[in-house]
Amino acid sequence: MKLLVLLAILLLIIAGHQLLRIIELSRGLKKTKEWQLTNSDNNAMGRGMLIFMICFFSFFFWQVYRWKDRALPSSASEHGFKIDWLWDVNMNFIVIPVFLLTNFFLFWFAYKYRGNTNNKATFFAHSNKLEMLWTIIPAVALTFIIIFGLKYWNEIMDDAKDPNKVTIELYAKQFDWSARYTGKDGKLGTTDYRQIDGSNSVGLDTNDVLCNDDIIVKNEFHIPVNREVELLMRSRDVIHSAYLPHFRAQMNCVPGLVTAFKFKPVKTTDEMRKDPYVIQMMDGINKQREKFGKEPVIFDYLLLCNKICGASHFSMQMNIIVESEKDYNEWLAKQKPFKAVASK
Amino acid sequence: MGTKHTATALEHEHATHHDHAHDHDEHHETFVSKYIFSMDHKMISRQFLITAIIMACVAMTMSVIFRMQLAWPGEKFAFVNALLGDKWAKDGILDPNMYLALVTIHGTIMVFMVLTGGLSGTFANLLIPYQVGARDMASGFLNMLSYWFFFVSSAIMLASCFIEDGPASGGWTIYPPLSALPQAMPGSKLGMTMWLISMAIFIVSSLLGGLNYIITVINLRTKGMKMTRMPLTVWAFLITAILGVLSFPVLFSCALLLIFDRSMGTSFYLSDIYIGGRPLDNVGGSPILFEHLFWFLGHPEVYIVLLPALGITSEVISTMSRKPIFGYRAMIGSMLAIGFLSFIVWGHHMYMTGMNPFLGSVFVFTTLLIAIPSAVKAFNYITTLWKGNVQYTPAMMFSIGLVSSFISGGVTGIILADSALDINVHDTYFVVAHFHIVMGLSAIFGMFAGVYHWFPKMFLRMMNKKLGYLHFWITFVCAYGVFFPQHFLGLAGVPRRYYTNSNFPMFDNLVDINEICTIFAIMGALGQVVFLFNFFYSIFRGEKAPQNPWNSNTLEWTTPVANIHGNWPGKLPEVHRWAYDYSKPGQEHDFVPQTVPLADGEHDGGEH
């Protein structure tokens, strides 16, 4: 088999070599050189540019249409609606029109002004008016983007001030997450990374009594709907990033620092499972899973790691359950506080 | 060419000099001094180009391997096993550590070895002395060192792929603590050390080259070559070199502190870490410091990659449209503005790192400002085409490809620069799509345009036009085919650098998008064989180049068709006008070389 492949390659090389000889010999007979452009070259390539544009734009719209049920569902958090709105305005009124228009002019001119021996280009070296025009228009558009962008940014990144907030600490390590709740006292205990061991996986300071009632959970964590959630983030080893795409929330977890992000979930997990868009999206997922031979799944909010953190970066995630205040409290009551777990 | 006249007055003038040329050229050169330790800018340029092409092939092969993993996770590929061996691809299934290593080394090679060293090294070396009318670089010796440091750096980077624990694999941005702690991943052992050594040597190469470029442009311009008469290529190389000289030392200090943290027990970037079953002593450092230092280089780096490509395109679009570049001064102004702004926008890579959000606001503002000069450049290119007489050489095709990808990738930058919108697409495939289109495609297209356009000056022969067309269409279609769909992966929230997206159900519906990307990537990679064949074949057997094949105005086309020391036999040419007098009314030909004196009452610089 290998011999045959080798033989085939050898034959190809010989054939190629002979072909090149013929081309090289025939070169001398022609008046124009191969590299010189002819009108038909320019015509072909100019038209090629136009055809490319049509295909390119068709490809673009095809993707938008074909993959319309692939994007993340609309926001499940309050601030996320603002982000989605700003995203849509930016995309639909600035990014996509500019992309289509400028590409159109580029390829249209490339087609229309394709070279011809009878033509002569117009000597047109500059125009202050035109240049002013395309300095000022982008500047005006950018003013809008900056004003709204910064307004929302400041709101989103502000400290969590709601007195009724839920504070949860996300703790990242290679390669899993845990979440820590304040427990009855409403306060997270202090931490000390030197005390990390088998029964103290997130490094609580055992001298601090505030730690005793803290609740640590793995694999999934619950949050109540319509209450502000303040996430505090720590990391044990390398940089991770807590990415909660459905809530439009993300923040890096940096060793040595405590970072924060706040959001207010507005849809419970059950509500999301009944959302028509989510149903359609899950259909797509389950169809593909059938092809893989995997069992079908239902929708769940997810916390992902979004900063390269090592070999199993791709598998570092945790489920999030958003539920009513009542369900949340019931779930929380069932969890064991740190002291009870540690003293076992 | 569409225009029929090939012979110019200059050609006649220089024909008489050819005899003198031999006198100059006949001092004895050994193989070593001519081809290896050469101090001639033209030879150094060719050395850079061929090294960069080899590195690009390596990086491209890596990308094909990890793209196949993403499209068909868990499939067995005999060829992956053949390339990586049983350790990294048992039965042809890629190892997760090797996946990260490939991603890392692909990024590093592409950004530094190909698009910084390769692009600037090739064309700044070739074109600066030629286009400003200098005999050579200010220091031929430093220029030679610049190449050899680059070579050693590339060699170390390649060698690091063959060590036991594998090469660096913390991503091309090598954020600590991941890159600082050997316990964190195998790639952070010897591989990371070699990465840092390679990069330190690369920085030396870049600085030696950059200083040379700056000094040559400032001091060695020929008579009449005012700054405002320089071709935009030279302007682009000058600004690029300044950016490099100002920012690479910061990367060096950044890498140096990382070396200290890794091997000398310091804590610049480390604090409160428990890894490998024990707490570390390091306290008080911060990885955020690393990110600031890294991106202080990292963002200007984007423009170090892009500006030379834009410079090359400016020259090619103007020449091939047979029209002056539109808004010559605005082009210089916007390049200067981009260069300046690129130093105060680095924080937009760090919106989500825990940096103070107020700082983020400042970076939103400065980052979005860059959109203005960028828009001016794009519109000026398009206006240059308007009412032109566009000659479709392969170089021109790639230049139009560049403008298209510069627009398509640039517009999504508006989204990413906006911190509020960045929250949800930060570090997703939306970013991957954005920077590959705006930086990868544009810069690579610019490099191809340069190779096709100046091949006759580099190798004194012509490349094959039809193969050039074929290469262009395959590359252009496939490049968009690979990266455009990745926007949609980003919209679905797919994080970067995931070994597989099928480990949990969330992204299972995106398998076909990944397949499309990968199929285009494989076709695009195979398409480069057309280029490689055309390139190497034409070096030896291409048609002989005439003196000025593209009827261009700039000085390099007034040199004889030979690689001689000193570039011009006899006296250096004198410059009388700017470089863009194409199709000027009242002129006999549709181009007027820079060496032709202004007629009575004729204006320079686009007035007529």
Short mmCIF file of all heavy atoms in Angstrom, two decimals, chain A residues 24 34 36 41-42 70 103 110 113 115-117 122 125 131 153 193 236 243 250 252 288-289 305-307 315, chain B residues 2 274 280 327 330 352 357 387 389-390 392 404 419 423-424 426-427 465 495 498 503 508-509 512 537 541 543:
data_model
loop_
_atom_site.label_atom_id
_atom_site.label_comp_id
_atom_site.label_asym_id
_atom_site.label_seq_id
_atom_site.Cartn_x
_atom_site.Cartn_y
_atom_site.Cartn_z
N GLU A 24 6.97 25.96 -20.10
CA GLU A 24 8.15 26.80 -20.24
C GLU A 24 8.56 26.95 -21.70
O GLU A 24 8.92 28.04 -22.15
CB GLU A 24 9.32 26.20 -19.45
CG GLU A 24 9.27 26.56 -17.98
CD GLU A 24 10.33 25.82 -17.18
OE1 GLU A 24 11.35 25.42 -17.76
OE2 GLU A 24 10.11 25.65 -15.98
N GLU A 34 3.61 35.97 -19.55
CA GLU A 34 2.54 35.42 -18.72
C GLU A 34 2.08 36.39 -17.65
O GLU A 34 0.90 36.50 -17.35
CB GLU A 34 3.04 34.11 -18.07
CG GLU A 34 1.94 33.22 -17.50
CD GLU A 34 1.45 33.62 -16.12
OE1 GLU A 34 2.16 34.33 -15.40
OE2 GLU A 34 0.32 33.22 -15.78
N GLN A 36 2.06 39.62 -17.62
CA GLN A 36 1.44 40.88 -18.04
C GLN A 36 -0.07 40.75 -18.05
O GLN A 36 -0.62 39.72 -18.46
CB GLN A 36 1.94 41.28 -19.42
CG GLN A 36 3.33 41.87 -19.36
CD GLN A 36 3.90 42.17 -20.71
OE1 GLN A 36 3.71 41.40 -21.66
NE2 GLN A 36 4.59 43.29 -20.83
N ASP A 41 -8.00 39.48 -18.37
CA ASP A 41 -7.66 39.24 -16.96
C ASP A 41 -8.43 40.20 -16.06
O ASP A 41 -9.06 39.80 -15.08
CB ASP A 41 -6.16 39.49 -16.70
CG ASP A 41 -5.31 38.36 -17.22
OD1 ASP A 41 -5.81 37.23 -17.26
OD2 ASP A 41 -4.15 38.62 -17.57
N ASN A 42 -8.32 41.48 -16.40
CA ASN A 42 -8.97 42.49 -15.57
C ASN A 42 -10.47 42.30 -15.53
O ASN A 42 -11.10 42.45 -14.48
CB ASN A 42 -8.64 43.90 -16.08
CG ASN A 42 -7.25 44.33 -15.64
OD1 ASN A 42 -6.77 43.89 -14.60
ND2 ASN A 42 -6.60 45.15 -16.44
N ARG A 70 -29.36 29.43 17.44
CA ARG A 70 -28.14 28.96 18.09
C ARG A 70 -27.62 29.94 19.14
O ARG A 70 -26.87 29.54 20.03
CB ARG A 70 -27.01 28.74 17.08
CG ARG A 70 -27.37 27.92 15.87
CD ARG A 70 -27.53 26.45 16.21
NE ARG A 70 -27.92 25.70 15.03
CZ ARG A 70 -27.07 25.05 14.25
NH1 ARG A 70 -25.80 25.06 14.51
NH2 ARG A 70 -27.52 24.39 13.20
N ASN A 103 -18.26 47.29 2.43
CA ASN A 103 -17.86 46.16 1.58
C ASN A 103 -18.50 46.28 0.20
O ASN A 103 -17.88 45.97 -0.81
CB ASN A 103 -18.23 44.83 2.23
CG ASN A 103 -17.07 44.23 3.02
OD1 ASN A 103 -15.97 44.11 2.51
ND2 ASN A 103 -17.32 43.90 4.26
N ALA A 110 -14.38 47.94 -7.24
CA ALA A 110 -13.40 47.00 -7.78
C ALA A 110 -13.90 46.41 -9.09
O ALA A 110 -13.13 46.16 -10.02
CB ALA A 110 -13.14 45.87 -6.77
N TYR A 113 -14.57 49.75 -11.89
CA TYR A 113 -13.38 50.42 -12.41
C TYR A 113 -12.28 49.44 -12.76
O TYR A 113 -11.10 49.76 -12.69
CB TYR A 113 -12.91 51.49 -11.41
CG TYR A 113 -13.98 52.52 -11.17
CD1 TYR A 113 -14.68 52.57 -9.97
CD2 TYR A 113 -14.33 53.42 -12.18
CE1 TYR A 113 -15.70 53.50 -9.78
CE2 TYR A 113 -15.35 54.34 -12.00
CZ TYR A 113 -16.03 54.37 -10.80
OH TYR A 113 -17.04 55.28 -10.62
N GLY A 115 -9.65 47.45 -14.84
CA GLY A 115 -8.80 48.11 -15.81
C GLY A 115 -9.12 47.77 -17.26
O GLY A 115 -9.63 46.70 -17.57
N ASN A 116 -8.82 48.71 -18.11
CA ASN A 116 -8.99 48.52 -19.54
C ASN A 116 -7.97 49.40 -20.24
O ASN A 116 -7.71 50.52 -19.80
CB ASN A 116 -10.41 48.91 -19.95
CG ASN A 116 -10.69 48.50 -21.38
OD1 ASN A 116 -10.04 48.98 -22.30
ND2 ASN A 116 -11.65 47.59 -21.55
N THR A 117 -7.38 48.89 -21.32
CA THR A 117 -6.34 49.67 -21.99
C THR A 117 -6.85 50.99 -22.54
O THR A 117 -6.08 51.92 -22.74
CB THR A 117 -5.71 48.87 -23.16
OG1 THR A 117 -6.71 48.00 -23.69
CG2 THR A 117 -4.53 48.06 -22.68
N THR A 122 -8.87 58.81 -13.18
CA THR A 122 -9.02 60.24 -12.87
C THR A 122 -8.04 60.62 -11.78
O THR A 122 -7.94 59.94 -10.76
CB THR A 122 -10.45 60.50 -12.35
OG1 THR A 122 -11.36 59.94 -13.29
CG2 THR A 122 -10.70 61.98 -12.17
N ALA A 125 -6.57 63.43 -5.90
CA ALA A 125 -5.64 63.09 -4.83
C ALA A 125 -6.18 63.36 -3.44
O ALA A 125 -5.83 62.66 -2.50
CB ALA A 125 -4.33 63.85 -5.00
N GLU A 131 -12.96 64.01 3.34
CA GLU A 131 -12.24 63.48 4.50
C GLU A 131 -12.86 63.96 5.80
O GLU A 131 -12.92 63.22 6.78
CB GLU A 131 -10.77 63.86 4.41
CG GLU A 131 -10.03 62.95 3.46
CD GLU A 131 -8.72 63.52 2.97
OE1 GLU A 131 -8.73 64.24 1.95
OE2 GLU A 131 -7.70 63.25 3.60
N TRP A 153 -22.24 50.42 31.74
CA TRP A 153 -21.06 49.83 32.38
C TRP A 153 -20.97 50.25 33.85
O TRP A 153 -20.79 49.42 34.73
CB TRP A 153 -19.82 50.25 31.60
CG TRP A 153 -18.50 49.90 32.22
CD1 TRP A 153 -17.59 50.76 32.75
CD2 TRP A 153 -17.90 48.60 32.34
NE1 TRP A 153 -16.48 50.10 33.19
CE2 TRP A 153 -16.64 48.76 32.95
CE3 TRP A 153 -18.31 47.31 31.98
CZ2 TRP A 153 -15.79 47.70 33.22
CZ3 TRP A 153 -17.45 46.25 32.25
CH2 TRP A 153 -16.22 46.45 32.86
N TYR A 193 -5.45 30.75 52.82
CA TYR A 193 -5.14 29.66 51.88
C TYR A 193 -4.21 28.62 52.48
O TYR A 193 -4.10 27.51 51.99
CB TYR A 193 -4.58 30.23 50.57
CG TYR A 193 -3.15 30.69 50.64
CD1 TYR A 193 -2.13 29.90 50.14
CD2 TYR A 193 -2.81 31.92 51.21
CE1 TYR A 193 -0.81 30.32 50.20
CE2 TYR A 193 -1.51 32.34 51.28
CZ TYR A 193 -0.50 31.53 50.77
OH TYR A 193 0.79 31.94 50.85
N ARG A 236 -8.03 29.37 43.79
CA ARG A 236 -7.05 28.69 44.62
C ARG A 236 -5.67 28.67 43.95
O ARG A 236 -4.64 28.77 44.61
CB ARG A 236 -7.49 27.25 44.85
CG ARG A 236 -6.49 26.43 45.62
CD ARG A 236 -6.78 24.96 45.54
NE ARG A 236 -7.77 24.55 46.53
CZ ARG A 236 -7.98 23.27 46.85
NH1 ARG A 236 -7.28 22.32 46.27
NH2 ARG A 236 -8.90 22.96 47.73
N TYR A 243 -17.97 32.60 34.14
CA TYR A 243 -18.74 33.08 32.99
C TYR A 243 -20.15 32.51 33.12
O TYR A 243 -20.33 31.28 33.13
CB TYR A 243 -18.05 32.60 31.72
CG TYR A 243 -18.70 33.01 30.41
CD1 TYR A 243 -19.29 34.26 30.26
CD2 TYR A 243 -18.69 32.14 29.32
CE1 TYR A 243 -19.87 34.63 29.04
CE2 TYR A 243 -19.25 32.50 28.11
CZ TYR A 243 -19.85 33.74 27.98
OH TYR A 243 -20.41 34.09 26.78
N GLN A 250 -19.80 38.02 33.78
CA GLN A 250 -18.48 37.40 33.71
C GLN A 250 -17.49 38.17 34.55
O GLN A 250 -17.53 39.40 34.58
CB GLN A 250 -17.99 37.36 32.26
CG GLN A 250 -16.56 36.87 32.15
CD GLN A 250 -16.16 36.39 30.76
OE1 GLN A 250 -15.42 35.47 30.63
NE2 GLN A 250 -16.66 37.02 29.72
N ASN A 252 -13.20 37.54 36.09
CA ASN A 252 -12.08 36.64 36.35
C ASN A 252 -11.94 36.35 37.85
O ASN A 252 -12.23 37.20 38.68
CB ASN A 252 -10.78 37.25 35.86
CG ASN A 252 -10.65 37.18 34.36
OD1 ASN A 252 -11.59 36.83 33.67
ND2 ASN A 252 -9.49 37.51 33.85
N GLN A 288 -28.82 16.75 17.87
CA GLN A 288 -27.41 16.42 17.69
C GLN A 288 -26.98 15.33 18.67
O GLN A 288 -26.22 14.44 18.31
CB GLN A 288 -26.57 17.69 17.87
CG GLN A 288 -25.09 17.51 17.58
CD GLN A 288 -24.82 17.03 16.16
OE1 GLN A 288 -25.41 17.55 15.20
NE2 GLN A 288 -23.96 16.03 16.02
N ARG A 289 -27.51 15.37 19.89
CA ARG A 289 -27.14 14.37 20.89
C ARG A 289 -27.60 12.98 20.46
O ARG A 289 -26.93 11.99 20.73
CB ARG A 289 -27.72 14.73 22.26
CG ARG A 289 -27.02 15.92 22.89
CD ARG A 289 -27.58 16.24 24.25
NE ARG A 289 -27.20 15.26 25.26
CZ ARG A 289 -26.01 15.21 25.85
NH1 ARG A 289 -25.08 16.08 25.52
NH2 ARG A 289 -25.76 14.31 26.77
N CYS A 305 -15.98 27.98 33.05
CA CYS A 305 -14.69 28.65 33.19
C CYS A 305 -14.30 29.20 31.83
O CYS A 305 -14.34 28.51 30.83
CB CYS A 305 -13.59 27.70 33.67
SG CYS A 305 -12.01 28.55 33.82
N ASN A 306 -13.97 30.49 31.81
CA ASN A 306 -13.69 31.12 30.52
C ASN A 306 -12.30 31.74 30.49
O ASN A 306 -12.07 32.73 29.81
CB ASN A 306 -14.75 32.19 30.24
CG ASN A 306 -14.73 32.62 28.80
OD1 ASN A 306 -14.15 31.96 27.95
ND2 ASN A 306 -15.35 33.74 28.50
N LYS A 307 -11.37 31.18 31.28
CA LYS A 307 -9.99 31.63 31.13
C LYS A 307 -9.12 30.40 31.18
O LYS A 307 -9.26 29.58 32.11
CB LYS A 307 -9.64 32.62 32.26
CG LYS A 307 -8.27 33.22 32.17
CD LYS A 307 -8.04 34.09 30.95
CE LYS A 307 -8.57 35.50 31.13
NZ LYS A 307 -8.47 36.27 29.85
N SER A 315 -13.74 21.33 30.81
CA SER A 315 -14.77 20.57 31.51
C SER A 315 -15.15 21.21 32.84
O SER A 315 -15.83 20.61 33.65
CB SER A 315 -14.30 19.14 31.74
OG SER A 315 -13.17 19.16 32.58
N GLY B 2 -2.08 47.03 -18.24
CA GLY B 2 -3.04 47.56 -19.20
C GLY B 2 -2.38 48.59 -20.08
O GLY B 2 -2.69 48.70 -21.27
N TYR B 274 -2.43 27.85 46.40
CA TYR B 274 -2.32 26.49 46.92
C TYR B 274 -2.36 25.57 45.71
O TYR B 274 -3.35 25.52 44.99
CB TYR B 274 -3.50 26.21 47.85
CG TYR B 274 -3.49 24.84 48.47
CD1 TYR B 274 -2.98 24.62 49.74
CD2 TYR B 274 -4.00 23.75 47.78
CE1 TYR B 274 -2.97 23.36 50.31
CE2 TYR B 274 -4.00 22.47 48.33
CZ TYR B 274 -3.48 22.29 49.59
OH TYR B 274 -3.47 21.04 50.16
N LEU B 280 1.86 27.76 48.62
CA LEU B 280 3.13 28.36 48.25
C LEU B 280 3.43 29.55 49.17
O LEU B 280 2.51 30.15 49.74
CB LEU B 280 3.09 28.86 46.80
CG LEU B 280 2.75 27.82 45.74
CD1 LEU B 280 2.91 28.44 44.35
CD2 LEU B 280 3.67 26.60 45.85
N GLY B 327 -5.95 61.13 -0.27
CA GLY B 327 -5.68 61.68 1.06
C GLY B 327 -4.36 61.21 1.64
O GLY B 327 -4.31 60.64 2.72
N ALA B 330 -3.75 62.60 5.02
CA ALA B 330 -4.69 62.01 5.99
C ALA B 330 -4.26 60.58 6.33
O ALA B 330 -4.42 60.12 7.47
CB ALA B 330 -6.11 62.00 5.44
N MET B 352 -12.53 42.40 32.08
CA MET B 352 -13.12 41.38 32.95
C MET B 352 -12.10 40.75 33.90
O MET B 352 -12.30 39.66 34.39
CB MET B 352 -13.74 40.27 32.09
CG MET B 352 -14.93 40.71 31.29
SD MET B 352 -16.23 41.20 32.41
CE MET B 352 -16.51 42.88 31.93
N PRO B 357 -13.20 49.02 37.55
CA PRO B 357 -14.10 49.32 36.43
C PRO B 357 -13.99 50.76 35.95
O PRO B 357 -14.23 51.05 34.79
CB PRO B 357 -15.50 49.07 37.01
CG PRO B 357 -15.31 48.35 38.26
CD PRO B 357 -13.92 48.52 38.72
N LYS B 387 -13.16 55.59 -9.82
CA LYS B 387 -12.70 56.16 -11.08
C LYS B 387 -11.24 55.82 -11.37
O LYS B 387 -10.51 56.60 -11.97
CB LYS B 387 -12.91 57.67 -11.12
CG LYS B 387 -14.38 58.05 -11.19
CD LYS B 387 -14.55 59.45 -11.71
CE LYS B 387 -16.02 59.76 -11.91
NZ LYS B 387 -16.24 61.14 -12.32
N ASN B 389 -8.30 52.84 -12.77
CA ASN B 389 -8.18 51.95 -13.91
C ASN B 389 -7.51 50.69 -13.35
O ASN B 389 -6.33 50.45 -13.55
CB ASN B 389 -7.33 52.63 -14.99
CG ASN B 389 -7.34 51.85 -16.29
OD1 ASN B 389 -8.21 51.01 -16.51
ND2 ASN B 389 -6.35 52.12 -17.13
N VAL B 390 -8.32 49.90 -12.60
CA VAL B 390 -7.75 48.93 -11.67
C VAL B 390 -7.12 47.74 -12.39
O VAL B 390 -7.77 47.02 -13.16
CB VAL B 390 -8.83 48.43 -10.69
CG1 VAL B 390 -8.23 47.43 -9.72
CG2 VAL B 390 -9.44 49.59 -9.94
N TYR B 392 -5.58 44.18 -12.18
CA TYR B 392 -5.67 43.07 -11.23
C TYR B 392 -4.48 42.14 -11.25
O TYR B 392 -4.56 41.01 -11.71
CB TYR B 392 -6.98 42.31 -11.43
CG TYR B 392 -8.13 43.03 -10.80
CD1 TYR B 392 -9.19 43.51 -11.55
CD2 TYR B 392 -8.12 43.26 -9.44
CE1 TYR B 392 -10.23 44.20 -10.95
CE2 TYR B 392 -9.15 43.95 -8.83
CZ TYR B 392 -10.20 44.42 -9.59
OH TYR B 392 -11.21 45.10 -9.00
N SER B 404 -11.19 44.56 2.56
CA SER B 404 -12.43 43.91 2.95
C SER B 404 -12.33 43.32 4.35
O SER B 404 -13.21 43.53 5.20
CB SER B 404 -12.78 42.81 1.95
OG SER B 404 -13.88 42.08 2.41
N SER B 419 -17.09 48.21 26.87
CA SER B 419 -16.94 47.27 27.99
C SER B 419 -18.25 46.60 28.38
O SER B 419 -18.26 45.42 28.71
CB SER B 419 -16.34 47.99 29.19
OG SER B 419 -17.10 49.15 29.47
N ILE B 423 -18.73 42.24 28.25
CA ILE B 423 -18.95 41.31 29.37
C ILE B 423 -19.30 39.92 28.87
O ILE B 423 -18.71 38.93 29.29
CB ILE B 423 -20.09 41.84 30.29
CG1 ILE B 423 -19.67 43.13 30.97
CG2 ILE B 423 -20.43 40.78 31.35
CD1 ILE B 423 -20.79 43.81 31.73
N ASN B 424 -20.23 39.86 27.93
CA ASN B 424 -20.72 38.53 27.56
C ASN B 424 -19.99 37.87 26.41
O ASN B 424 -20.21 36.70 26.13
CB ASN B 424 -22.21 38.58 27.26
CG ASN B 424 -22.91 37.36 27.78
OD1 ASN B 424 -22.67 36.97 28.92
ND2 ASN B 424 -23.73 36.73 26.96
N HIS B 426 -16.49 38.47 26.01
CA HIS B 426 -15.08 38.44 26.38
C HIS B 426 -14.58 36.99 26.39
O HIS B 426 -15.22 36.11 26.94
CB HIS B 426 -14.93 39.05 27.77
CG HIS B 426 -13.52 39.22 28.21
ND1 HIS B 426 -12.82 40.38 28.00
CD2 HIS B 426 -12.67 38.38 28.83
CE1 HIS B 426 -11.61 40.24 28.48
NE2 HIS B 426 -11.48 39.04 28.98
N ASP B 427 -13.43 36.77 25.74
CA ASP B 427 -12.82 35.43 25.71
C ASP B 427 -13.68 34.35 25.05
O ASP B 427 -13.47 33.17 25.25
CB ASP B 427 -12.44 34.96 27.13
CG ASP B 427 -10.97 35.22 27.42
OD1 ASP B 427 -10.18 35.19 26.46
OD2 ASP B 427 -10.61 35.45 28.58
N LYS B 465 1.15 34.48 -12.74
CA LYS B 465 -0.05 35.25 -12.44
C LYS B 465 -1.27 34.35 -12.20
O LYS B 465 -2.01 34.55 -11.23
CB LYS B 465 -0.31 36.19 -13.62
CG LYS B 465 -1.58 36.99 -13.57
CD LYS B 465 -1.76 37.79 -14.85
CE LYS B 465 -2.02 36.83 -16.00
NZ LYS B 465 -2.09 37.53 -17.32
N PRO B 495 -16.67 29.45 24.89
CA PRO B 495 -15.38 30.01 25.32
C PRO B 495 -14.23 29.58 24.41
O PRO B 495 -14.29 28.53 23.76
CB PRO B 495 -15.19 29.44 26.72
CG PRO B 495 -16.53 29.01 27.16
CD PRO B 495 -17.22 28.55 25.91
N TYR B 498 -11.21 25.79 24.43
CA TYR B 498 -11.81 24.57 24.92
C TYR B 498 -11.35 23.44 24.02
O TYR B 498 -11.48 23.52 22.80
CB TYR B 498 -13.34 24.68 24.89
CG TYR B 498 -13.97 25.17 26.18
CD1 TYR B 498 -13.22 25.90 27.09
CD2 TYR B 498 -15.30 24.88 26.49
CE1 TYR B 498 -13.79 26.35 28.27
CE2 TYR B 498 -15.87 25.33 27.67
CZ TYR B 498 -15.12 26.07 28.56
OH TYR B 498 -15.69 26.51 29.72
N ASN B 503 -18.19 18.26 25.78
CA ASN B 503 -18.05 17.62 27.08
C ASN B 503 -19.31 17.75 27.93
O ASN B 503 -19.60 16.94 28.76
CB ASN B 503 -16.86 18.22 27.81
CG ASN B 503 -16.51 17.46 29.06
OD1 ASN B 503 -16.28 16.27 28.99
ND2 ASN B 503 -16.52 18.12 30.20
N ASP B 508 -23.80 21.41 22.09
CA ASP B 508 -23.93 20.29 21.15
C ASP B 508 -24.56 20.70 19.82
O ASP B 508 -24.31 20.08 18.78
CB ASP B 508 -24.76 19.17 21.78
CG ASP B 508 -23.89 18.23 22.60
OD1 ASP B 508 -22.66 18.29 22.43
OD2 ASP B 508 -24.43 17.46 23.40
N ASN B 509 -25.38 21.76 19.82
CA ASN B 509 -26.01 22.16 18.56
C ASN B 509 -25.07 22.95 17.66
O ASN B 509 -25.47 23.40 16.59
CB ASN B 509 -27.27 22.99 18.84
CG ASN B 509 -26.99 24.18 19.74
OD1 ASN B 509 -25.94 24.24 20.36
ND2 ASN B 509 -27.90 25.12 19.77
N ASP B 512 -22.05 21.50 13.73
CA ASP B 512 -21.92 21.73 12.29
C ASP B 512 -21.20 23.04 11.98
O ASP B 512 -20.51 23.15 10.97
CB ASP B 512 -23.29 21.67 11.59
CG ASP B 512 -24.29 22.61 12.22
OD1 ASP B 512 -24.01 23.12 13.32
OD2 ASP B 512 -25.35 22.83 11.61
N TYR B 537 9.16 27.79 -7.18
CA TYR B 537 9.41 27.55 -8.60
C TYR B 537 9.87 28.84 -9.28
O TYR B 537 10.84 28.85 -10.04
CB TYR B 537 8.13 27.02 -9.25
CG TYR B 537 8.21 26.88 -10.75
CD1 TYR B 537 8.84 25.77 -11.31
CD2 TYR B 537 7.68 27.85 -11.58
CE1 TYR B 537 8.94 25.65 -12.69
CE2 TYR B 537 7.77 27.73 -12.96
CZ TYR B 537 8.41 26.63 -13.51
OH TYR B 537 8.51 26.51 -14.86
N ARG B 541 12.88 29.45 -11.73
CA ARG B 541 12.53 29.30 -13.13
C ARG B 541 11.46 30.26 -13.61
O ARG B 541 10.94 30.11 -14.71
CB ARG B 541 12.07 27.85 -13.38
CG ARG B 541 13.14 26.83 -12.99
CD ARG B 541 12.87 25.50 -13.59
NE ARG B 541 12.93 25.53 -15.04
CZ ARG B 541 13.90 24.99 -15.75
NH1 ARG B 541 14.87 24.37 -15.16
NH2 ARG B 541 13.86 25.02 -17.06
N GLU B 543 9.71 33.74 -15.09
CA GLU B 543 10.17 34.56 -16.20
C GLU B 543 11.03 35.69 -15.67
O GLU B 543 10.81 36.20 -14.57
CB GLU B 543 8.96 35.13 -16.95
CG GLU B 543 8.20 34.05 -17.69
CD GLU B 543 7.06 34.64 -18.51
OE1 GLU B 543 7.36 35.37 -19.48
OE2 GLU B 543 5.91 34.39 -18.16
#
